[in-house]
Amino acid sequence: MLLIINIYEIMNKNILFLAGLLLITIGCNDKKDNSFSVTDISTENFEGYGQQVSSKKIYYEDAISEKYNTPEIGDTVNIAFTSTVNSVCKAKGCWMRIALDEKQETMVKFKDYGFFVPKDIENDTVIVQGKAFVSEMSVEDQRHFASDAGKTEEEIAAITAPKKTYSFIADGVLIKN
């Protein structure tokens, strides 16, 4: 009888160990699933702007806001991610705002003002590659971008204080067809 109880206890400990190992493995796999490589997609389904996007790690929208929590004002992080365009410059296509999550977005400008994107890409899916950073945007710049986005005079006048912003300088952009 004692032998049966000991075997039962050993089996229970092994089962608990294996269950724990399985949970750890699943947790690690979930982290890997937050990104993909440019080689995982058909670039024929995308229109390219700027340099060729070549990143081996492109983060999904739900993982990118975590990456923006790390840098302090002035720090930069080389990164690529995919998300949705919230707004774009209506004058030239010289900037766009893309979602980091439901509440936050990043202002994307283009390296050395070297390329622009179409002015009608709101709600389109994009992949951007470049440098992410946190900055403070002046009232003057906020008003300029609000004007470019077609905001009303009242909305522009309501901008009265600098704000912490999430920014991105893209060297390459892919827009899904």
Side-chain angles (χ1 to χ4, degrees), residues 6 8 13 17 21 56 59 80 87-88 110 127 148 158 171 177:
N6 284 341
Y8 181 75
K13 287 179 184 178
F17 173 76
L21 189 59
K56 302 230 183 303
Y59 291 93
S87 61
V88 64
F110 309 108
I127 297 172
D148 281 354
D171 53 42
N177 296 332

Side-chain angles (χ1 to χ4, degrees), residues 47-128:
E47 182 81 26
Y49 296 86
Q51 295 176 9
Q52 181 178 356
V53 174
S54 59
S55 184
K56 302 230 183 303
K57 191 167 226 172
I58 300 169
Y59 291 93
Y60 290 107
E61 179 181 334
D62 60 353
I64 193 61
S65 63
E66 294 173 20
K67 300 295 179 188
Y68 266 99
N69 290 336
T70 306
E72 298 290 326
I73 290 178
D75 292 345
T76 61
V77 177
N78 290 319
I79 201 161
F81 67 96
T82 183
S83 190
T84 305
V85 177
N86 288 343
S87 61
V88 64
C89 174
K90 298 298 182 197
K92 299 182 206 176
C94 60
W95 58 262
M96 61 182 167
R97 287 192 171 118
I98 58 178
L100 294 176
D101 58 28
E102 298 85 32
K103 297 177 184 176
Q104 298 179 32
E105 62 184 10
T106 185
M107 168 68 87
V108 178
K109 296 180 186 174
F110 309 108
K111 185 177 180 185
D112 299 328
Y113 214 59
F115 63 97
F116 302 130
V117 295
K119 299 179 274 185
D120 62 349
I121 60 170
E122 282 93 358
N123 301 312
D124 285 0
T125 299
V126 295
I127 297 172
V128 293

Side-chain angles (χ1 to χ4, degrees), residues 128-146:
V128 293
Q129 174 181 280
K131 294 185 183 306
F133 58 98
V134 178
S135 61
E136 186 174 88
M137 187 181 293
S138 70
V139 170
E140 181 180 332
D141 284 348
Q142 289 179 70
R143 288 180 173 177
H144 172 81
F145 292 126

Side-chain angles (χ1 to χ4, degrees), residues 3-16:
L3 182 59
I4 294 173
I5 293 173
N6 284 341
I7 292 173
Y8 181 75
E9 288 177 4
I10 291 170
M11 286 178 56
N12 277 342
K13 287 179 184 178
N14 284 336
I15 289 172
L16 288 173

